């Protein structure tokens, strides 16, 4: 085990994979000379040179599409978006092309590409820089979506994403790049896409939380433990494919569920998970499923409003109290 | 409001007074055609068989679409049907000019491209019918003919959307140093998409071995080119310092000659070109288009330049073929197309399970239902 920052874990995954496969290259704004806007790709230009570390102009639509074309033609691009907020400009290429060329050509083309970068809320960056896009992309068939919460998951899942022959969106949080965690040093360590993890065992209530919300849920669980409520936390880790079996299994044990999601409520992951739970485990539920999400508003700037806007440990505790009928 | 302008409120209009719009019976060519090459086949390096085959290929594209149109009108299949008729010299001349492993990608007006790049008439017709025997196994239809094995990367349905894809294919070729040239064809309407700017900028900056070829057929749906786009299309290359040309697209020899020169230059120097190939489409934008935006006279003017008639006359005038040999080729093509229709009709639709095939690489991907 090594203790790595989130950004180091991602870098290690990219580095290890690039070392093995000539066809892997990284492209994006500031990824090479500048060492990455969030220093994820630091040092890789020195190691792999300008053929494989490519600085692009601020042309999200264009370079996302060039990456897709390169993937169609046998390369394995890793396209970094400075944040997924800017990837909205590239949505046509990701949604209309990457996700569909294989299907509409009857399986003639593979698109082994990874789009990665920070997702969701960031401290007081206001409305255009604090949006979670995992649920949006998960809506579209043909895309796999990952939003990771800890350095080890990041490393193992990114390595799998790079090896995957489908287009994968790999999301991080810019507020977590400095977060440290133990990361396996096993050679060729990977985590399969589509497998969640029980990150905390408990018997009273299941909390489903991914990405940055895992840390909010963990904080709530620590508080609740002091009141003798044992929370089981499931981090699905990949939004699509979603490990609903693991969630359902946990609910059969705890009979109660709270979903913590950094998206807006309408049409987000929480709604989908809630639906699947009532379909698969209705008879096991002792209370209606609760969700804690962002409100149905954009991110405000003012510090007090921003804090109010973000899902908090207290909101998770309230939701747990509701499903356990404690308060 | 706009006090410094002399326009009164009534005079203000946002419709350019350009050409190509309804013209009270006047004939206004939507584009000016540059002159075709004067060279004969020998000096272009083409054999007599090549010329015969070019005619054959072009006539096949024409007849295939004429029959497809009939079948569509009979309700044999649905969806969009964007016909390429009038533009066949471009697909044929280009495919002749490029190497077999050079890459080609285009937009949704793609039947001609598919046929000349190895989609058999049977697979093509079956694709229109949505049959599993189609080139894209019935999953793509008219807009998504593809034959990736033969380096034809398909038709794509989002106007401008495939321009970066073509550039990425070129990027990969440069990365792999395989000397392949990519020809990325787009319509004049696609020139207005912002992504073109992004891509031309990167392509020139990075030296991508790519030919951006605009098939300017005068119209983006019903909007004449001068009404949707300012300036001359090829001149956009100037802003990027990109090599450029305007080419007569009604003459297969011209397309062949220019494309060959350009492809050689791209291969040698690994720098992109931006070219405008002027042409004309005979049919509406798609089958539902009543063509009110152009005059019959204009259409007739262009039909006089028909690329297939032109090469046919060349064959006759140069004693390469006799009329009865031409007839024979045409009959053979007719048979081929009719067989393709039979094949399409008799083929099966995809299995229900095919709905879930080719979304992901994995067969056992867990879908949400
Ligand atoms: C992004 C996008 N906007 C609009 C359309 C609808 N549409 C399809 S074809 C077309 C006209 C395009 O004309 P052009 O690029 O000149 O190609 P041509 O039909 O002449 O071959 C339009 C508006 C589309 N498919 N994609």
């Amino acid at each position: 085990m090594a203790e790595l920052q989130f950004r180091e874990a991602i870098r290690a995954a990219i580095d290890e994979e690039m070392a093995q496969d000539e066809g892997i290259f990284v492209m994006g704004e500031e990824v090479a000379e500048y060492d990455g806007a969030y220093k994820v790709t630091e040092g890789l230009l020195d190691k792999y040179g300008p053929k494989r570390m490519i600085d692009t102009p601020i042309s999200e639509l264009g370079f996302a599409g060039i990456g897709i074309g390169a993937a169609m033609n046998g390369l394995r691009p890793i396209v970094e978006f400075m944040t997924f907020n800017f990837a909205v400009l590239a949505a046509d290429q990701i949604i209309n092309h990457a996700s569909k060329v294989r299907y509409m050509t009857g399986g003639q083309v593979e698109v082994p590409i990874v789009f990665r970068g920070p997702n969701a809320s960031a401290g007081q960056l206001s409305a255009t820089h604090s949006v979670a896009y995992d649920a949006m992309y998960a809506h579209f068939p043909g895309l796999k979506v990952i939003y990771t919460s800890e350095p080890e998951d990041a490393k193992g899942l990114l390595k799998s994403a790079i090896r995957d022959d489908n287009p994968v969106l790999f999301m991080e949080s810019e507020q977590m790049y400095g977060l440290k965690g133990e990361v396996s040093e096993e050679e060729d360590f990977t985590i399969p896409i589509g497998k969640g993890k029980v990150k905390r065992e408990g018997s009273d209530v299941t909390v489903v939380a991914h990405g940055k919300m895992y840390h909010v849920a963990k904080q709530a669980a620590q508080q609740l433990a002091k009141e003798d409520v044992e929370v089981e936390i499931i981090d699905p880790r990949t939004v699509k494919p979603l490990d609903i079996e693991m969630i359902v299994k946990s609910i059969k044990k705890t009979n109660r569920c709270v979903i913590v999601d950094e998206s807006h409520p309408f049409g987000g992951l929480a709604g989908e998970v809630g639906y699947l739970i009532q379909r698969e485990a209705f008879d096991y539920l002792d209370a209606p499923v609760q969700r804690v999400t962002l409100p149905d508003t954009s991110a405000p700037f003012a510090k007090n409003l921003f804090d109010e806007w973000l899902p908090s440990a207290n909101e998770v505790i309230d939701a747990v109290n509701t499903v356990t009928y404690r308060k | 409001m706009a006090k410094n302008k002399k326009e009164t409120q009534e005079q203000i209009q946002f419709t350019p007074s350009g050409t190509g719009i309804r013209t009270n019976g006047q004939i206004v060519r939507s584009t000016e055609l540059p002159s075709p090459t004067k060279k004969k086949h020998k000096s272009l390096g083409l054999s007599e068989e090549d010329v015969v085959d070019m005619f054959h290929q072009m006539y096949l594209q024409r007849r295939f679409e004429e029959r497809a149109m009939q079948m569509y009108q009979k309700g044999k299949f649905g969806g969009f049907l964007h016909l390429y008729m009038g533009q066949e010299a471009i697909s044929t001349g280009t495919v002749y000019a490029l190497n077999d492993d050079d890459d080609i990608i285009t937009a949704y007006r793609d039947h001609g491209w598919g046929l000349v790049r190895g989609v058999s008439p049977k697979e093509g017709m079956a694709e229109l019918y949505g049959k599993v025997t189609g080139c894209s196994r019935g999953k793509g239809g008219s807009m998504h003919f593809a034959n990736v094995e033969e380096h034809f990367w398909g038709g794509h349905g989002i106007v401008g959307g495939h321009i970066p894809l073509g550039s990425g294919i070129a990027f990969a070729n440069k990365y792999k140093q395989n000397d392949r040239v990519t020809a990325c064809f787009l319509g004049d309407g696609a020139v207005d998409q912002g992504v073109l700017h992004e891509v031309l900028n990167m392509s020139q900056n990075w030296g991508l071995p790519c030919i951006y070829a605009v098939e300017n057929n005068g119209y983006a749906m019903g909007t004449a080119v001068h009404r949707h786009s300012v300036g001359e299309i090829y001149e956009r290359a100037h802003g990027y310092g990109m090599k450029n040309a305007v080419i007569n697209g009604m003459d297969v020899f011209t397309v062949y000659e220019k494309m060959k020169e350009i492809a050689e230059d791209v291969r040698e120097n690994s720098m992109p070109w931006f070219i405008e190939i002027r042409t004309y489409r005979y049919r509406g934008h798609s089958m539902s288009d009543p063509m009110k935006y152009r005059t019959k006279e204009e259409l007739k003017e262009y039909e006089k330049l028909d690329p297939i008639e032109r090469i046919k006359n060349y064959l006759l005038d140069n004693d390469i073929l006799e009329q009865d040999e031409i007839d024979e080729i045409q009959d053979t093509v007719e048979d081929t197309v009719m067989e393709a229709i039979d094949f399409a009709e008799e083929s099966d639709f995809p299995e229900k399970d095919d709905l879930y095939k080719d979304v992901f690489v994995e067969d056992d991907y867990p879908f949400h239902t």
Side-chain angles (χ1 to χ4, degrees):
Chain A
M1 285 286 185
E3 182 159 84
L4 294 184
Q5 283 186 349
F6 210 94
R7 60 162 64 79
E8 292 166 341
I10 298 168
R11 186 188 310 140
I14 296 172
D15 191 0
E16 286 174 24
E17 294 304 301
M18 282 181 89
Q20 287 184 32
D21 186 342
E22 232 346 85
I24 299 171
F25 69 95
V26 178
M27 117 197 281
E29 291 154 24
E30 313 292 357
V31 297
E33 295 281 347
Y34 192 85
D35 278 334
Y38 294 98
K39 301 290 174 263
V40 168
T41 52
E42 191 166 30
L44 295 181
L45 175 64
D46 288 343
K47 197 159 173 188
Y48 295 104
K51 177 184 168 194
R52 299 181 67 193
M53 293 301 300
I54 297 153
D55 281 324
T56 64
I58 307 162
S59 306
E60 285 80 6
L61 182 60
F63 71 72
I66 288 178
I68 296 163
M72 288 163 64
N73 196 10
L75 300 185
R76 304 186 77 84
I78 301 170
V79 171
E80 175 175 309
F81 291 119
M82 204 174 273
T83 92
F84 271 96
N85 292 278
F86 313 146
V88 175
L89 281 96
D92 168 58
Q93 285 299 319
I94 302 170
I95 294 167
N96 274 324
H97 300 276
S99 80
K100 297 183 170 75
V101 270
R102 179 187 185 85
Y103 196 69
M104 70 196 189
T105 58
Q108 292 183 64
V109 190
E110 279 178 11
V111 189
I113 189 168
V114 175
F115 300 101
R116 54 151 290 274
N119 180 51
S121 62
Q124 273 193 288
L125 295 190
S126 78
T128 56
H129 287 56
S130 280
V131 184
Y133 290 95
D134 41 306
M136 180 184 100
Y137 287 110
H139 182 69
F140 299 102
L143 302 174
K144 294 186 179 179
V145 182
I146 299 171
Y147 181 20
T148 46
S149 63
E150 292 190 291
E152 176 155 288
D153 297 322
K155 184 176 178 196
L157 281 163
L158 182 54
K159 282 169 71 86
S160 296
I162 295 168
R163 294 177 191 190
D164 202 288
D165 288 329
N166 301 288
V168 183
L169 292 117
F170 185 91
M171 299 179 176
E172 303 138 22
S173 160
E174 65 191 74
Q175 292 178 312
M176 284 165 30
Y177 283 127
L179 185 91
K180 285 188 177 161
E182 292 291 326
V183 178
S184 164
E185 281 184 301
E186 242 173 83
E187 209 175 297
D188 228 22
F189 166 71
T190 58
I191 293 172
I193 296 173
K195 292 276 167 265
K197 188 173 182 189
V198 181
K199 291 215 166 168
R200 185 183 197 282
E201 294 207 29
S203 49
D204 296 326
V205 54
T206 301
V207 171
V208 179
H210 71 302
K212 198 161 56 200
M213 289 304 108
Y214 162 67
H215 300 280
V216 172
K218 193 166 126 187
Q219 220 186 320
Q222 282 160 356
Q223 287 281 336
L224 284 159
K226 292 180 196 152
E227 301 171 32
D228 286 334
V229 180
E230 286 308 322
V231 175
E232 176 146 304
I233 306 180
I234 308 277
D235 179 354
R237 299 196 291 198
T238 65
V239 173
K240 209 177 181 190
L242 178 71
D243 194 349
I244 191 67
E245 285 82 18
M246 180 175 282
I247 296 168
V248 166
K249 194 171 156 214
S250 171
I251 283 159
K252 286 182 177 170
K253 181 169 86 175
T254 65
N255 312 109
R256 297 159 204 278
C257 184
V258 171
I259 306 154
V260 195
D261 185 6
E262 210 177 344
S263 300
H264 301 292
F266 196 99
L269 181 71
E272 181 67 16
V273 172
Y275 162 75
L276 290 170
I277 290 171
Q278 65 80 30
R279 190 179 75 182
E280 305 293 324
F282 184 76
D283 290 342
Y284 294 87
L285 285 173
D286 286 345
V289 174
Q290 292 289 318
R291 68 180 176 190
V292 179
T293 66
L294 296 171
D296 202 4
T297 80
S298 293
F301 171 72
K303 179 82 173 80
N304 65 326
L305 290 184
F306 181 73
D307 291 345
E308 174 67 24
W309 182 78
L310 270 181
S312 66
N314 281 341
E315 284 173 83
V316 179
I317 291 167
D318 286 348
V320 168
N321 287 339
T322 303
V323 297
T324 52
Y325 301 110
R326 292 171 73 238
K327 286 175 192 158
Chain B
M1 290 230 333
K3 280 205 188 88
N4 51 343
K5 288 267 164 101
K6 296 264 153 50
E7 280 174 315
T8 66
Q9 194 61 34
E10 289 72 45
Q11 285 172 323
I12 292 171
Q13 54 158 316
F14 296 104
T15 307
S17 52
T19 54
I21 43 179
R22 274 182 257 177
T23 54
N24 304 324
Q26 254 181 300
I27 300 163
V28 178
R29 282 209 178 148
S30 45
T31 60
E32 285 303 320
L33 288 172
S35 341
T37 181
K38 294 207 173 60
K39 286 192 190 155
K40 298 248 171 180
H41 68 277
K42 270 194 199 128
S43 50
L44 289 169
L46 292 167
S47 68
E48 292 191 350
E49 293 82 77
D50 289 336
V51 188
V52 174
D53 193 52
M54 279 175 157
F55 167 69
H56 189 137
Q57 291 292 344
M58 287 166 72
Y59 187 73
L60 171 67
Q61 292 170 49
R62 178 71 56 90
R63 202 64 199 127
F64 178 93
E65 288 201 318
E66 282 168 348
R67 286 293 184 194
M69 184 172 70
Q70 275 182 345
M71 296 304 122
Y72 185 89
Q73 282 162 337
K74 281 192 190 171
K76 298 282 190 181
F77 57 88
F80 280 136
L81 190 68
H82 305 98
L83 300 177
Y84 195 59
M85 285 184 229
Q87 305 183 209
E88 298 93 340
I90 301 177
S91 53
T92 310
T94 299
V95 165
Y96 259 85
L98 296 182
N99 294 342
D100 287 348
D101 62 355
D102 283 337
D103 293 293
I104 297 175
I105 188 165
T106 192
Y108 49 83
R109 203 176 293 284
D110 58 357
H111 309 148
W113 288 104
L115 289 174
V116 65
R117 251 305 161 98
V119 170
S120 70
K122 283 182 175 163
E123 290 167 315
M125 196 60 78
E127 191 58 39
L128 294 180
Y129 273 69
K131 297 297 179 74
V132 70
T133 48
C135 55
S136 298
R137 302 190 62 76
K139 292 288 226 356
S142 164
M143 296 193 287
H144 305 299
F145 276 31
N147 187 355
V148 173
E149 216 167 276
E150 300 291 336
H151 297 266
F152 173 53
W153 293 90
H156 296 263
I158 301 291
V159 170
H162 70 291
I163 306 172
L165 303 184
S167 311
I169 290 167
F171 177 96
N173 287 337
K174 181 168 175 135
Y175 192 101
K176 296 188 262 188
Q177 287 184 288
N178 60 15
D179 273 345
R180 287 180 192 148
V181 170
T182 303
C184 178
F185 283 82
L186 47 138
D188 49 280
V191 172
D192 304 329
Q193 285 286 25
V195 74
L196 180 70
H197 160 67
E198 299 188 9
V199 160
L200 292 185
N201 178 53
M202 279 184 273
S203 190
Q204 179 74 11
N205 208 0
W206 296 347
L208 298 187
C210 192
I211 305 169
Y212 300 92
V214 181
E215 290 186 76
N216 179 357
N217 60 16
Y219 296 92
M221 277 185 77
T223 308
V225 62
H226 300 296
R227 296 181 67 222
H228 73 66
S229 194
V230 294
E232 297 291 349
I233 287 175
Y234 71 93
E235 286 181 350
R236 306 229 168 164
H238 296 167
Y240 308 95
M242 195 178 286
K243 294 181 199 175
N244 57 89
V246 194
I247 297 170
N248 181 319
M250 301 304 274
D251 178 62
V252 70
F253 283 2
T254 309
V255 175
Y256 172 79
E257 180 188 25
K258 300 284 183 209
M259 270 296 185
K260 207 167 171 68
E261 279 169 23
I262 292 167
E264 269 162 27
D265 184 76
V266 171
R267 217 181 300 281
E268 191 158 317
N269 301 309
S270 188
M271 285 303 282
W273 277 70
F274 184 77
I275 63 179
E276 178 184 348
I277 310 183
R278 293 193 180 156
T279 179
Y280 200 76
R281 72 167 146 75
Y282 292 170
R283 299 288 163 177
H285 167 68
S286 68
M287 294 299 287
S288 58
D289 173 4
M291 289 191 279
K292 285 191 184 144
Y293 48 85
R294 68 180 180 192
T295 60
K296 288 201 177 69
E297 291 79 6
E298 179 186 294
L299 178 57
K300 274 194 195 130
E301 277 292 294
Y302 277 97
E303 278 172 343
K304 286 182 199 157
L305 305 173
D306 185 62
I308 299 181
E309 283 300 307
R310 216 179 150 87
I311 191 167
K312 185 163 92 182
N313 290 334
Y314 184 92
L315 289 168
L316 292 170
D317 296 347
N318 291 277
D319 299 322
I320 300 173
L321 292 184
E322 306 278 337
Q323 183 61 48
D324 59 334
E325 290 170 304
I326 300 261
D327 294 344
E328 212 173 293
I329 291 175
Q330 294 189 338
D331 289 347
T332 314
V333 167
E334 179 67 14
D335 290 346
T336 306
V337 173
M338 294 315 287
E339 279 164 26
I341 290 172
D342 290 342
F343 175 80
E345 303 227 341
E346 285 156 18
S347 289
D348 291 327
F349 285 108
E351 299 281 328
K352 271 200 181 144
D353 283 353
D354 286 357
L355 184 61
Y356 294 96
K357 266 196 201 139
D358 301 322
V359 178
F360 291 94
V361 171
E362 299 85 357
D363 290 335
D364 59 347
Y365 183 87
F367 289 101
H368 283 230
T369 47

